[in-house]
Amino acid sequence: MKDGHELRQGRALPDAVAGNGHAQATPARAFGLAAWLASRRRSDLIELHRFWGGKLCDAPSGDDEELRARIQRWMADPARVEERVGALGRRLASVVDSLVLAPRYQKNWAELSGSPGLGTLSPYELEACVTALARRGLVVEGGDRRFESFGARVLGLPLELGDGLLRRRRLGQGGLFAILSLHGHLEQLYAHAERSTPRRQRELYKMYAQETACAARIERLPEGLQTLVEKAILEFGGILPKGLFERTESKALHWNARRWRLILEQSLVGTVRELDLARHGIALQDETLVVFNEVALAWLRRVAVPSDPDQPHEELSAGIDLCSNISRFLTYLSENGVRFTVRGEIFKTTEKRILQELIPNPGRELSREAVLDYIYDFTRTAHLIESTGERTFAMSSEGRVWEQKDLEQKLRALLEFSI
């Protein structure tokens, strides 16, 4: 630090020396925001006030204690912290990103300089980043630099600032999963609970995701909201945007996002959120009532259509040898004259000979005849084979390069054809 205002709290204790001969910093306590602000001079407070208050903020007023209290409120506001960090340059943001994932939001100089995104910086460049962040109160440094104390300089985020930023980022990481599914909602809900463990979260999810429990929670909803939730499940798959609600719902029920979200989330049935699916290729950007996926399926299975509503008429599998069988089919065509009928079908006797060349599909999968029909349709559609003037099939130029393609390219072509 160049400004000489190091934090006098949170000294680290000595730790064992690692195998590489460098001492690893293990701070005894996190950096407290109040203690750090107490050591700031008036000029520092004015600069902090300007940064954390924003462009439209009034000029700093009041004595030093009033300024410290105001700045502390701003720095403890997770939304404001996220906004300020987001406005930083790439290098400065990389320093903050590295520290926010560290224990107690602290790293020693060697750990920080070796972090992803910072390893290419020279010591002078990294020092400039740390100094710029320190002026804004985003990074503070342990006051005792003696090697006997902890072996290296210790840099970190103020505890309140780190907690708020981490909470905001975890909230954002939930994304669609936390909005659309009960599993994601519970993970987000209990992410910061002190006594929550992964095992406890799994037990809660298993309990709340049971069909009887999901259906019972819907039945306990207030009458008007229950009817709306049922309609959202049966007619819209559990996703009802406000715009669609206003076009289809009678005037007897008015959109009440705040009340519905409170009831639905407390009941673990769903939520009401601003949903933007444009980046996923779906033209939806609206406030939306969402019934959690597990709850919607439970209601369909247990109440709406108890006889398994989404059971496919038939399930078939081509097996993992489909790509190999296509190659065998093409090889047979290139080595043998395969004739076809006036209707464009392979003669039955020829089909039987080809089937003997294919890898069999054991188990509950497609029959060998069905596999050949699928391969024939695919190779014709993908132009891997072409008909000749003698009413026979020949391998096309596309068919000759089929073997040169990697497995991912082949599977992508098969998937597109199947869809």
Side-chain angles (χ1 to χ4, degrees):
M1 295 282 287
K2 299 292 187 181
D3 60 0
H5 299 298
E6 295 85 19
L7 180 68
R8 301 302 173 185
Q9 302 294 330
R11 295 183 178 180
L13 298 177
D15 195 9
V17 177
N20 58 8
H22 297 291
Q24 303 297 308
T26 307
R29 66 181 67 173
F31 296 142
L33 185 57
W36 182 80
L37 284 172
S39 64
R40 301 298 96 185
R41 296 190 301 238
R42 177 77 180 186
S43 58
D44 300 327
L45 295 175
I46 291 175
E47 185 173 0
L48 289 168
H49 190 280
R50 186 180 302 114
F51 173 74
W52 289 99
K55 295 181 180 180
L56 302 179
C57 180
D58 296 333
S61 59
D63 58 21
D64 290 0
E65 291 306 316
E66 291 179 5
L67 279 179
R68 287 190 180 94
R70 190 179 307 138
I71 294 169
Q72 184 171 351
R73 287 198 304 272
W74 288 341
M75 294 179 71
D77 179 6
R80 188 182 292 263
V81 173
E82 185 179 46
E83 177 189 350
R84 292 296 180 269
V85 172
L88 297 172
R90 181 176 59 83
R91 286 183 176 180
L92 299 184
S94 296
V95 175
V96 176
D97 293 343
S98 175
L99 292 173
V100 79
L101 298 177
R104 295 193 179 95
Y105 316 119
Q106 297 176 20
K107 286 187 175 183
N108 65 27
W109 181 263
E111 292 169 338
L112 184 63
S113 60
S115 300
L118 302 176
T120 58
L121 299 182
S122 68
Y124 303 102
E125 291 173 325
L126 183 56
E127 183 71 49
C129 292
V130 170
T131 302
L133 292 169
R135 289 200 303 267
R136 295 166 171 83
L138 289 165
V139 171
V140 296
E141 182 172 353
D144 190 351
R145 299 188 184 182
R146 291 174 302 174
F147 183 86
E148 296 84 2
S149 295
F150 47 77
R153 295 171 61 186
V154 174
L155 304 160
L157 308 179
L159 180 61
E160 298 87 342
L161 188 147
D163 284 343
L165 185 59
L166 185 62
R167 187 161 53 249
R168 291 285 296 187
R169 291 187 174 181
R170 284 179 175 173
L171 182 64
Q173 288 171 354
L176 282 179
F177 183 60
I179 297 175
L180 300 179
S181 72
L182 176 63
H183 192 184
H185 177 74
L186 288 174
E187 279 191 351
Q188 182 175 300
L189 188 63
Y190 292 102
H192 308 288
E194 294 182 358
R195 298 183 180 179
S196 177
T197 62
R199 179 180 179 182
R200 177 59 176 163
Q201 291 181 21
R202 289 193 297 269
E203 291 174 350
L204 289 172
Y205 174 70
K206 185 177 180 180
M207 178 176 63
Y208 289 125
Q210 292 179 359
E211 287 186 8
T212 53
C214 290
R217 294 200 300 273
I218 293 180
E219 292 171 348
R220 288 196 295 268
L221 293 174
E223 184 176 352
L225 182 56
Q226 178 185 342
T227 303
L228 184 63
V229 167
E230 292 176 0
K231 179 176 181 177
I233 295 173
L234 297 176
E235 298 184 24
F236 306 108
I239 299 178
L240 178 59
K242 181 180 180 181
L244 188 58
F245 166 85
E246 293 174 342
R247 291 198 303 269
T248 60
E249 194 60 38
S250 64
K251 296 182 180 179
L253 189 62
H254 299 282
W255 186 267
N256 193 337
R258 178 178 295 181
R259 177 175 180 269
W260 293 348
R261 177 177 177 178
L262 180 64
I263 295 174
L264 291 174
E265 290 188 355
Q266 287 182 345
S267 303
L268 295 179
V269 170
T271 185
V272 179
R273 297 284 189 91
E274 189 72 27
L275 200 57
D276 184 4
L277 301 181
R279 63 175 180 162
H280 301 284
I282 301 174
L284 172 59
Q285 187 173 3
D286 196 2
E287 195 172 42
T288 306
L289 184 150
V290 177
V291 182
F292 294 138
N293 178 58
E294 298 91 333
V295 179
L297 288 176
W299 184 260
L300 284 171
R301 291 193 183 104
R302 193 168 188 85
V303 179
V305 189
S307 59
D308 199 354
D310 297 323
Q311 181 68 31
H313 176 68
E314 188 178 16
E315 292 184 11
L316 299 172
S317 171
I320 62 175
D321 297 315
L322 180 59
C323 290
S324 298
N325 279 334
I326 292 175
S327 298
R328 292 189 176 206
F329 176 77
L330 294 175
T331 301
Y332 186 91
L333 257 65
S334 64
E335 296 176 352
N336 302 273
V338 176
R339 295 178 56 81
F340 57 87
T341 66
V342 177
R343 300 175 58 183
E345 299 174 350
I346 300 175
F347 284 98
K348 295 297 182 182
T349 53
T350 306
E351 281 189 1
K352 291 180 181 179
R353 289 197 297 269
I354 296 175
L355 287 174
Q356 294 176 0
E357 302 293 327
L358 300 184
I359 301 173
N361 290 289
R364 299 176 58 187
E365 298 177 336
L366 285 170
S367 65
R368 298 182 69 184
E369 291 77 9
V371 170
L372 181 57
D373 290 341
Y374 181 93
I375 291 174
Y376 175 69
D377 290 341
F378 170 72
T379 52
R380 289 296 300 271
T381 304
H383 306 292
L384 302 184
I385 61 175
E386 55 189 7
S387 56
T388 67
E390 301 176 355
R391 239 169 63 188
T392 60
F393 288 120
M395 192 184 305
S396 67
S397 58
E398 287 289 330
R400 283 189 287 273
V401 301
W402 172 259
E403 274 304 307
Q404 302 173 14
K405 296 182 178 180
D406 58 35
L407 181 59
E408 183 178 353
Q409 291 176 308
K410 293 178 180 179
L411 292 177
R412 191 181 300 278
L414 287 167
L415 176 61
E416 291 176 354
F417 170 74
S418 299
I419 293 174

